[in-house]
Amino acid sequence: MLSIRAVDLVVIGGGPAGMAAALAAAEAGVEEIVLLERQESLGGILPQCIHNGFGLRYFKEELTGPEYAHRFMLELEKHSGIKVKTATMVVQVTADRQVVTTSAAEGLVCYQARAVILAMGCRERPRGAINIPGTRPAGIYTAGSLQYLMNIEGFLPGRTAVILGSGDIGLIMARRLTLEGIRVKAVLELMPYSNGLNRNVVQCLEDFNIPLYLSHTVTAIHGQKRVEKVSVAPVDAELKPLLEKEFDLTCDTLVLSVGLIPENELSLQAGVELDPATGGPVVDSYYHTTVEGIFACGNVAHVHDLVDDVSTESAIAGRAAAAYLRGEIKGNRWLPVKAGRNIRSVVPQRLVAGQTTPLYIRARFPERNALLHVGRGRVKRRIVSPGETIYYTVKPEDIDESAGYIGVSLEGGEGDD
Amino acid sequence: MSTPEVDVLVVGAGVVGAALIRELSRYELKLLLVEKEVDVSFGTSKANSGIVHSGIHDQTGTLKAQLCVRGCQLFPELAAELGFLYKQNGAVVVARSREELVKLEKLAENGRANGVKGLSLLSREELRRLEPNLSAELAGGLLAPSGGIVVPFDLVFALTENAVANGAKLLVGTEVLGIKEEKDGFLVRTNRQPIRAKVIVNAAGLYGGEVAAMIGDHSIQLYARKGEEYLFDRKLEGLVRRTVFPLPSAISKGILVIPTVDGNIMIGPTAHRVDNDDDLGTSLAGWNEIYTEARKLVPALQPADLITAFAGLRAVGTTGDFLIAPSHVSPRFINAAGIESPGLTAAPAIAEYIVELIKDSGLKLRRKREFNPIRSVVRLRDLNPREQAALMQKDPAYGQIICRCEMVSAGEIRDAIRRGATTLDGVKLRTRSGMGRCQGGFCTPKIIRLLSDELGLPPERISKNGPGSELLFGRLREDQEETAKEEKQHA
């Protein structure tokens, strides 16, 4: 039989979210923490993000991904109560907080935790999920796996590339490929606007004269053994390709940066309710999910623009787990957030009464000079874009408890042209 | 290089060649299976729908009907012996209207005449009770409980591995280029060494016509009929439990909704003639056709749950039936051509049938006493926790998970490479690593490493599915410079 190890807190995932959560929980007095990571080392996606731009909000200085991760690793080492288990895969999580893991070092192990923090991050949408027609040759990579192959493994993956999708990883990889002498012929974006941060469009494409084709998509992949070319077409307002305007781009590599999906297979096993708008668990102001004693933070909860926000949010979850273990945060009254005009998602989805809660809001479409309504709160937003998080901190006075919910909407904006 | 001399040479390691070589390995024979691709099952069999057909569809009296029903009967025992992924989940053919109910009854009659057991007609209500997620519009169904599902490439791997364990030889990457008839056999020219064979079986799939033509037999006329398939996430497991067929058309069994053994839902295939033997692309038109038809059967299917698509080419003959017979040029050259659907189901029966033809050709077949019908592989996710724990204790490599979506360990990937995988696709098809919802996003770099280490090849030589499909172009500049610097320091 499997031996069962009892612990206070299990944190699943040793990326920025899991590291910050474990650290905050330890600092808040949790004595026994197990931090589980499937890779050979901590850091999650950060070690492969060798570009800078990290830490501006959290550390007030600019760091690379590995540097950012290193700061947390050093802090973790100071806490003897945190047991880090790398190269360890979680295969099961139950609603009563049993966590089953496997590793070469220890085989199958089952932890019985008093609290669990889910911090598994996200994965990239693959080609099949967007159903690009054509052949299935070598040379089709998602941007993140390409980044791993280049920055961790040191491989040259191709010579000429086309990138589909202008999310941040796609933009960063356009620059990275160019710096390695790989010719990036184009970055294609289905939407009429980039899904990445504006600073990345400027620094990764414009500075290198890489053309960005908005409202374009790949309509076919060609090549039997290796990618030989892709067909590209503009799309109409319904995002349907205009095939009469199709043209070909020769390349040996197609890079896909077409979205990130929070990895919630384990959350579902545990019976955690997901929000269809984020793909992540429904959480309250404490990042407590709908299953008691299970918390979620970082990209598993919702995809973030900046790792800094992941760290901030995960520290809240870590402290909340500590409070939960002391019996402090049971049975809080909460109000649901209700997304109104031009709001795709809001995290947390449930606001605990009387709390000050930072919100992460995402818009559906770009607009200018809109008024953001959050309960009774009002604030003007000059530029709104689905690619950039809208921040708002809810204060107790914004909440009208008699309404039964907190409405969030963008009102009176002007269309983006 | 010496010229190997064999009793039987089987050309083509698809499901027909694989089933045959395994059947022949029961006998005291020198056997050789050659395959032009770098791995077995890399042609038509790889992209098969994976259905074990009950035999209701094929016209009574045809070889297809006879061998399909027999093949279907052979599957349960074969699966028990070889441990490939198979499940007798049953099939339902559905009628969309009252008029179609009449056709359904005819189909049932045809099935009974073919010897299919256990058929029953279902009312609208019975059908809904059996499969609650089927469209409420459907008028009724025909249940064929003997129908099943199988992972087609897993079947091919299992058959060839068991044949090799029983003494057969397998040469991949070996293309037959010419055949010369000699006094008591054939001299076969390949891209590698020449081979002497007393009997040749042509199981070359799409290339059956070309191989037959090498001995001057121009009777085999084949064309390629493409089938596209679309695969959905495993989270839909249980949406339908039986394979769902519409009523068949003149050329195909229609667009189906197929639960796979691994728990995915698959929809397809199309059936369109193509002129190009390597046209394996999927298309927007194909998707639209399949999705429209599949939704008429199961309305809940959503494009957001798609994880991948693929296409395969069926080798279709001109007679409407399988072409399995000795060539008119030589009784020792046996064609197994035009093996379209239900070829996968029929394969074990085709193998038995060809063994009889080989006996007729004059070759003496003596049963091998030490024949071992059992083949076993480790599949971590099919074990219970206690078995998993014991396995990991014995060999820690089974505890190191490489493919997180499908829970495949380093130990299983190593086993797959030792079982014959030399490419990323070879590992993927043997273990399911990279077949899940992330489609290899996380595990590909790790599998490249494992292949490189196990095969002793540099990573840039590792390919997706053979020469020309290498994944990497070498090392990055700065990486090269660093290596050079290190070397200089050492010197």
Side-chain angles (χ1 to χ4, degrees):
Chain A
M1 271 316 286
L2 286 182
S3 62
I4 293 180
R5 301 181 189 174
V7 294
D8 290 332
L9 175 65
V10 165
V11 180
I12 305 175
M19 291 195 297
L23 209 50
E27 283 164 358
V30 181
E31 284 173 7
E32 277 182 309
I33 302 173
V34 175
L35 175 58
L36 301 167
E37 167 55 43
R38 56 193 155 203
Q39 296 284 359
E40 285 68 27
S41 58
L42 291 173
I45 213 75
L46 286 171
Q48 72 187 59
C49 299
I50 60 172
H51 51 283
N52 55 8
F54 300 92
L56 287 166
R57 283 172 75 99
Y58 196 82
F59 290 113
K60 312 287 178 224
E61 59 181 304
E62 194 169 30
L63 304 171
T64 64
E67 285 168 343
Y68 190 98
H70 192 63
R71 294 216 172 171
F72 281 88
M73 291 179 205
L74 289 178
E75 286 301 307
L76 284 170
E77 282 173 13
K78 294 180 188 162
H79 293 270
S80 58
I82 303 175
K83 300 268 178 294
V84 176
K85 304 272 181 189
T86 54
T88 300
M89 179 77 86
V90 175
V91 294
Q92 200 186 10
V93 180
T94 65
D96 52 4
R97 301 180 300 280
Q98 285 204 348
V99 180
V100 181
T101 68
T102 141
S103 66
E106 297 188 283
L108 214 59
V109 173
C110 179
Y111 295 94
Q112 173 64 60
R114 292 173 57 216
V116 170
I117 298 179
L118 305 171
M120 292 88 76
C122 57
R123 64 167 173 269
E124 300 179 280
R125 283 177 87 198
R127 178 229 180 142
I130 53 168
N131 209 358
I132 308 174
T135 54
R136 263 150 289 279
I140 304 168
Y141 294 100
T142 53
S145 42
L146 190 73
Q147 191 179 43
Y148 182 91
L149 279 171
M150 293 177 71
N151 295 350
I152 302 291
E153 300 269 351
F155 290 123
L156 177 70
R159 303 208 185 279
T160 50
V162 168
I163 299 177
L164 175 61
S166 65
D168 289 311
I169 321 173
L171 298 175
I172 282 157
M173 287 314 291
R175 176 175 64 185
R176 180 76 183 111
L177 288 165
T178 306
L179 290 173
E180 286 298 340
I182 298 156
R183 192 165 161 230
V184 179
K185 291 213 165 158
V187 175
L188 312 168
E189 172 56 55
L190 181 69
M191 304 306 287
Y193 48 84
S194 163
N195 267 311
L197 296 172
N198 187 49
R199 74 173 196 214
N200 282 332
V201 176
V202 175
Q203 292 171 11
C204 300
L205 300 188
E206 291 173 11
D207 288 359
F208 294 88
N209 293 318
I210 299 168
L212 171 64
Y213 291 74
L214 296 174
S215 297
H216 276 69
T217 194
V218 172
T219 47
I221 298 170
H222 306 273
Q224 290 303 329
K225 288 288 181 182
R226 178 85 196 185
V227 175
E228 288 164 12
K229 62 179 181 179
V230 294
S231 298
V232 173
V235 297
D236 64 16
E238 274 83 54
L239 307 179
K240 289 252 181 315
L242 300 163
L243 292 177
E244 64 278 12
K245 292 189 182 164
E246 195 175 64
F247 59 96
D248 288 348
L249 291 173
T250 56
C251 58
D252 55 38
T253 303
L254 173 64
V255 184
L256 301 176
S257 175
V258 291
L260 299 171
I261 305 170
E263 286 224 281
N264 278 292
E265 282 67 34
L266 293 173
S267 322
L268 288 169
Q269 279 183 5
V272 166
E273 183 188 332
L274 301 188
D275 176 356
T278 56
V282 170
V283 292
D284 68 12
S285 302
Y286 297 114
Y287 289 86
H288 202 179
T289 69
T290 55
V291 175
E292 186 173 324
I294 300 186
F295 297 76
C297 57
N299 280 353
V300 82
H302 61 117
V303 176
H304 295 65
D305 296 348
L306 301 173
V307 69
D308 306 62
D309 296 341
V310 168
S311 303
T312 306
E313 164 183 309
S314 302
I316 296 174
R319 284 192 294 272
Y324 170 83
L325 289 171
R326 292 192 302 267
E328 287 171 15
I329 62 162
K330 276 180 188 162
N332 292 296
R333 270 182 313 117
W334 52 265
L335 294 173
V337 165
K338 207 159 143 185
R341 182 189 171 278
N342 195 16
I343 301 294
R344 179 183 300 283
S345 63
V346 182
V347 179
Q349 292 87 345
R350 296 174 171 187
L351 302 187
V352 173
Q355 277 283 316
T356 297
T357 306
L359 296 186
Y360 298 91
I361 303 167
R362 214 166 270 282
R364 287 186 182 281
F365 52 85
E367 59 178 346
R368 280 171 299 156
N369 299 322
L371 196 62
L372 175 69
H373 291 226
V374 179
R376 291 199 191 103
R378 302 282 183 276
V379 62
K380 187 142 182 193
R381 292 290 144 149
R382 209 168 55 78
I383 296 171
V384 167
S385 154
E388 309 227 4
T389 301
I390 304 166
Y391 300 96
Y392 184 85
T393 299
V394 184
K395 294 160 283 296
E397 60 266 30
D398 292 336
I399 301 178
D400 171 12
E401 287 199 37
S402 66
Y405 66 90
I406 296 125
V408 177
S409 62
L410 284 158
E411 304 293 345
E414 301 152 25
D416 198 90
D417 47 11
Chain B
M1 212 184 308
S2 68
T3 304
E5 296 190 13
V6 297
D7 295 313
V8 183
L9 171 70
V10 179
V11 182
V15 70
V16 174
L20 176 61
I21 204 81
R22 196 266 182 172
E23 191 59 29
L24 287 169
S25 71
R26 295 176 187 276
Y27 301 93
E28 300 281 357
L29 292 170
K30 276 185 150 177
L31 301 173
L32 178 61
L33 173 64
V34 292
E35 168 56 50
K36 75 176 175 61
E37 296 295 325
V38 296
D39 207 338
V40 305
S41 97
F42 267 27
T44 296
S45 297
K46 181 176 71 170
N48 188 283
S49 300
I51 297 167
V52 178
H53 291 287
S54 62
I56 51 173
H57 284 91
D58 304 294
Q59 202 190 320
T60 310
T62 59
L63 209 47
K64 276 185 178 177
Q66 176 196 333
L67 296 175
C68 180
V69 174
R70 171 72 182 150
C72 182
Q73 288 165 354
L74 290 171
F75 260 87
E77 194 192 335
L78 203 57
E81 288 176 346
L82 299 177
F84 56 81
L85 296 160
Y86 161 78
K87 193 169 150 193
Q88 193 178 326
N89 66 326
V92 279
V93 186
V94 296
R96 294 207 198 118
S97 61
R98 278 163 169 265
E99 297 79 69
E100 285 199 348
L101 284 174
V102 182
K103 293 186 189 166
L104 212 55
E105 281 174 30
K106 285 215 172 114
L107 193 64
E109 274 168 39
N110 187 70
R112 287 190 195 104
N114 288 347
V116 181
K117 299 276 188 298
L119 296 176
S120 59
L121 287 160
L122 306 172
S123 69
R124 176 192 296 260
E125 292 71 31
E126 288 168 326
L127 181 64
R128 289 274 290 171
R129 213 172 308 134
L130 226 49
E131 293 291 348
N133 293 314
L134 285 182
S135 164
E137 314 273 297
L138 301 173
L142 168 63
L143 176 68
S146 61
I149 44 179
V150 64
V151 176
F153 33 84
D154 196 43
L155 171 62
V156 178
F157 294 134
L159 290 163
T160 47
E161 283 170 22
N162 187 239
V164 168
N166 283 299
K169 291 268 179 296
L170 166 68
L171 284 176
V172 292
T174 305
E175 184 173 1
V176 171
L177 300 174
I179 304 172
K180 206 170 87 188
E181 199 172 355
E182 294 183 326
K183 196 159 61 68
D184 47 2
F186 304 91
L187 180 64
V188 179
R189 188 163 56 83
T190 76
N191 61 330
R192 293 163 62 163
Q193 74 247 56
I195 299 156
R196 275 206 166 80
K198 290 181 185 143
V199 171
I200 293 177
V201 180
N202 170 16
L206 285 168
Y207 308 94
E210 293 166 34
V211 172
M214 291 176 189
I215 63 156
D217 177 350
H218 300 281
S219 69
I220 308 287
Q221 304 285 326
L222 302 173
Y223 69 89
R225 192 189 283 154
K226 194 201 281 193
E228 297 183 22
E229 308 261 16
Y230 293 80
L231 198 74
F232 292 87
D233 194 299
R234 264 201 291 148
K235 73 182 183 198
L236 298 188
E237 182 162 14
L239 189 66
V240 292
R241 304 202 176 276
R242 292 158 194 83
T243 309
V244 184
F245 295 71
L247 273 160
S249 74
I251 60 156
S252 85
K253 297 183 178 74
I255 306 284
L256 322 179
V257 180
I258 308 161
T260 72
V261 186
D262 293 304
N264 303 86
I265 295 286
M266 187 161 79
I267 59 174
T270 50
H272 299 293
R273 183 174 180 154
V274 291
D275 298 325
N276 192 344
D277 272 355
D278 54 10
D279 179 1
L280 284 170
T282 48
S283 65
L284 194 59
W287 161 251
N288 287 335
E289 178 188 344
I290 289 173
Y291 186 58
T292 307
E293 292 304 313
R295 286 252 295 199
K296 290 180 189 165
L297 305 178
V298 182
L301 291 167
Q302 290 301 330
D305 295 323
L306 268 181
I307 57 170
T308 191
F310 59 91
L313 298 174
R314 312 164 177 91
V316 182
T318 47
T319 64
D321 203 354
F322 297 152
L323 310 165
I324 310 174
S327 166
H328 63 86
V329 175
S330 165
R332 286 178 306 189
F333 186 97
I334 298 165
N335 287 309
I339 313 292
E340 53 168 324
S341 180
L344 185 87
T345 309
I350 292 173
E352 289 180 342
Y353 188 84
I354 295 175
V355 168
E356 293 307 311
L357 296 177
I358 292 174
K359 284 181 187 163
D360 295 345
S361 77
L363 203 66
K364 282 270 177 297
L365 266 61
R366 205 152 44 83
R367 288 243 174 210
K368 206 186 275 175
R369 207 174 296 161
E370 67 278 17
F371 174 75
N372 177 7
I374 306 298
R375 165 258 196 194
S376 64
V377 290
V378 172
R379 226 177 256 124
L380 193 63
R381 67 182 178 283
D382 292 346
L383 303 177
N384 67 39
R386 192 182 306 189
E387 294 166 329
Q388 288 177 342
L391 185 67
M392 291 171 194
Q393 201 153 36
K394 218 170 69 188
D395 185 346
Y398 292 112
Q400 187 192 348
I401 304 297
I402 299 293
C403 167
R404 58 169 86 167
C405 304
E406 299 296 315
M407 198 177 152
V408 183
S409 64
E412 290 163 275
I413 291 171
R414 176 204 60 204
D415 294 349
I417 299 168
R418 293 185 184 164
R419 280 159 57 202
T422 54
T423 62
L424 203 61
D425 281 357
V427 168
K428 171 174 158 179
L429 297 182
R430 281 175 180 83
T431 63
R432 276 190 75 73
S433 56
M435 261 192 216
R437 46 180 72 93
C438 95
Q439 290 286 301
F442 289 109
C443 63
T444 299
K446 293 180 178 175
I447 297 173
I448 292 174
R449 277 268 173 241
L450 289 168
L451 275 163
S452 163
D453 291 348
E454 192 70 31
L455 299 173
L457 290 172
E460 54 268 30
R461 293 268 310 277
I462 303 303
S463 71
K464 184 171 186 290
N465 51 27
S469 67
E470 287 77 12
L471 295 146
L472 307 165
F473 284 54
R475 307 211 63 99
L476 293 180
R477 227 167 11 193
E478 49 204 82
D479 217 69
Q480 287 170 350
E481 282 163 15
E482 243 168 61
T483 317
K485 216 186 284 169
E486 276 170 26
E487 277 166 11
K488 214 185 249 173
Q489 278 171 356
H490 278 290

